Amino acid sequence: DVKVTQSSRYLVKRTGEKVFLECVQDMDHENMFWYRQDPGLGLRLIYFSYDVKMKEKGDIPEGYSVSREKKERFSLILESASTNQTSMYLCASSRQGAGTDTQYFGPGTRLTVL
Amino acid sequence: QKEVEQDPGPLSVPEGAIVSLNCTYSNSAFQYFMWYRQYSRKGPELLMYTYSSGNKEDGRFTAQVDKSSKYISLFIRDSQPSDSATYLCAMTRGARGGADGLTFGKGTHLIIQP
């Protein structure tokens, strides 16, 4: 059974803190993604990676960075958290080649920045 | 115009009814089309995946794509209370298919009344 796990389900941080959101997949997928989901805005792509140490900006990368040191792990970093980064963060993965479009999602991390 | 338009609802129907969910899109480059289901406080899970224009059936679910009209639909027959969820349409966004991430509609909140 495919599995994408995220380090925390709920997280509360203060403005200005550095925040790490971790995602691990056990499917040996090459592609990994970070989205945020907000009411009225839907899911928006922040960053993605199609290989170790590779990263590409999505639609809303400002204020975020990512790290992919190992194939199975993809981290989202908020360098200096702000209140407008309060959101649900979803990690996903997919395999390379045919079927890259079938993305498997983790349960999400609900981040609140005070 | 947004790339993908989806009525957020809520859409409330009685148990046993046929449900029709729809998305329109503006980007002719979109190639693959997916429907995800998302229960409250969970990550999205893939329901249906289609490529070409036409219908694809899986149990009580039928996905329909009309590329000439840039219109996709999901039909649910014999709807059950357990179908109550948010339904998200998604499309591949880049030359490398889903490896560049997906573009999502905002989701339709569906309520099946017992």
Side-chain angles (χ1 to χ4, degrees), chain A residues 17-101:
Chain A
E17 278 192 78
K18 190 169 186 175
V19 182
F20 293 86
L21 302 182
E22 305 285 342
C23 175
V24 177
Q25 50 94 3
D26 65 359
M27 296 165 281
D28 201 34
H29 283 170
E30 290 80 10
N31 306 318
M32 296 189 75
F33 309 85
W34 276 106
Y35 296 86
R36 62 178 283 178
Q37 186 175 28
D38 301 286
L41 296 176
L43 274 86
R44 293 177 292 165
L45 182 65
I46 305 171
Y47 265 99
F48 61 100
S49 167
Y50 51 85
D51 200 354
V52 176
K53 299 205 186 283
M54 302 298 290
K55 60 184 179 184
E56 298 275 354
K57 292 180 180 179
D59 296 321
I60 50 164
E62 296 77 21
Y64 303 95
S65 62
V66 290
S67 172
R68 190 155 181 214
E69 296 296 320
K70 293 185 178 181
K71 188 177 185 181
E72 67 271 18
R73 188 179 297 268
F74 192 35
S75 301
L76 180 70
I77 303 156
L78 287 65
E79 295 290 341
S80 178
S82 63
T83 54
N84 63 13
Q85 292 178 311
T86 292
S87 186
M88 168 72 93
Y89 289 89
L90 290 159
C91 175
S93 72
S94 70
R95 61 187 174 94
Q96 201 68 276
T100 58
D101 4 80

Side-chain angles (χ1 to χ4, degrees), chain A residues 9-10 31 33 35 37 40-43 45 48 50 58-59 88 90 94 96 99-107, chain B residues 2 32 34 36 38 41-46 49 86 88 92-93 96-107:
Chain A
R9 292 299 306 274
Y10 300 94
N31 306 318
F33 309 85
Y35 296 86
Q37 186 175 28
L41 296 176
L43 274 86
L45 182 65
F48 61 100
Y50 51 85
D59 296 321
M88 168 72 93
L90 290 159
S94 70
Q96 201 68 276
T100 58
D101 4 80
T102 305
Q103 294 189 8
Y104 297 90
F105 283 84
Chain B
K2 299 282 185 190
Y32 294 83
M34 284 132 277
Y36 282 81
Q38 185 176 24
R41 289 185 285 278
K42 296 283 178 84
E45 56 177 335
L46 182 67
Y49 164 93
T86 296
L88 302 149
T92 54
R93 48 188 279 129
R96 295 183 304 124
D100 294 325
L102 299 176
T103 297
F104 284 85
K106 293 180 182 178

Side-chain angles (χ1 to χ4, degrees), chain B residues 29-102:
Chain B
F30 288 145
Q31 295 184 11
Y32 294 83
F33 305 90
M34 284 132 277
W35 285 95
Y36 282 81
R37 177 176 62 195
Q38 185 176 24
Y39 291 113
S40 181
R41 289 185 285 278
K42 296 283 178 84
E45 56 177 335
L46 182 67
L47 264 182
M48 299 283 290
Y49 164 93
T50 55
Y51 169 66
S52 57
S53 285
N55 293 352
K56 182 177 181 180
E57 194 171 313
D58 184 1
R60 296 186 295 112
F61 298 90
T62 299
Q64 192 174 78
V65 174
D66 182 348
K67 287 188 175 181
S68 62
S69 300
K70 299 189 181 67
Y71 190 88
I72 70 170
S73 300
L74 178 71
F75 298 96
I76 307 174
R77 291 183 299 281
D78 187 26
S79 56
Q80 305 294 312
S82 58
D83 295 328
S84 298
T86 296
Y87 290 79
L88 302 149
C89 62
M91 306 173 192
T92 54
R93 48 188 279 129
R96 295 183 304 124
D100 294 325
L102 299 176

